[in-house]
């Protein structure tokens, strides 16, 4: 699953820079996660970096975006491939 930020977010800004997929952005009211870019950190780290650093524990699994570990890895490979194709 991708993750989602709940309305308990205090806009502290520490999660955005730790996301390896640049999936986190400042939304209209609170920070948000682009589910198409969130791999739950699969491919980069052993645990979601945003969850580990969030001081108020307001980042949870998005029940509307259900993905297996295999699908998350495929998403990671697609994202890395996209990035490489931009560099080339
Ligand atoms: Fe980014 Fe990882 Fe958090 Fe997903 S779980 S938003 S990829 S830091
Ligand atoms: Fe919001 Fe948590 Fe990110 Fe801070 S770390 S901006 S509280 S989601």
């Amino acid at each position: 699953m991708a993750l989602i930020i709940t309305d308990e977010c205090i806009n502290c800004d520490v999660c955005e820079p730790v996301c390896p997929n640049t999936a986190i952005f400042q939304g209209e009211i609170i920070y948000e996660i682009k589910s198409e870019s969130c791999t739950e950190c699969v491919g980069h780290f052993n645990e979601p970096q945003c969850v580990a650093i969030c001081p108020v524990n307001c980042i949870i699994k998005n029940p509307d975006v259900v993905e297996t570990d295999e699908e998350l890895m495929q998403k990671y490979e697609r994202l890395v491939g996209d990035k490489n194709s931009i560099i080339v």
Side-chain angles (χ1 to χ4, degrees), residues 3 15 18-21 23-24 33 37-41 48-51:
L3 302 186
C15 58
V18 301
C19 177
N21 294 323
I24 302 175
I33 293 174
S37 298
C38 175
T39 64
E40 287 190 42
C41 285
Q49 299 298 288
C50 56
V51 173

Side-chain angles (χ1 to χ4, degrees), residues 5-6 8-16 24 26 30-33 50 53-59:
I5 296 172
T6 72
E8 289 161 71
C9 171
I10 57 171
N11 289 322
C12 73
D13 190 34
V14 297
C15 58
E16 194 225 336
I24 302 175
Q26 170 82 72
I30 55 172
Y31 275 78
E32 297 179 29
I33 293 174
C50 56
I53 205 165
C54 178
V56 294
N57 297 320
C58 67
I59 306 176

Side-chain angles (χ1 to χ4, degrees), residues 1-86:
M1 290 179 203
L3 302 186
I4 190 170
I5 296 172
T6 72
D7 59 11
E8 289 161 71
C9 171
I10 57 171
N11 289 322
C12 73
D13 190 34
V14 297
C15 58
E16 194 225 336
V18 301
C19 177
N21 294 323
T22 57
I24 302 175
F25 64 100
Q26 170 82 72
E28 270 186 46
I29 300 171
I30 55 172
Y31 275 78
E32 297 179 29
I33 293 174
K34 283 180 268 182
S35 54
E36 69 273 17
S37 298
C38 175
T39 64
E40 287 190 42
C41 285
V42 166
H44 292 283
F45 299 103
N46 291 332
E47 64 174 350
Q49 299 298 288
C50 56
V51 173
I53 205 165
C54 178
V56 294
N57 297 320
C58 67
I59 306 176
I60 61 172
K61 288 184 184 259
N62 185 342
D64 294 330
V65 186
V66 180
E67 292 160 307
T68 63
D69 283 350
E70 194 173 87
E71 287 169 326
L72 288 168
M73 185 53 86
Q74 286 168 0
K75 190 196 272 190
Y76 160 76
E77 285 166 0
R78 198 173 63 245
L79 289 167
V80 170
D82 287 350
K83 215 186 274 181
N84 288 343
S85 66
I86 290 168

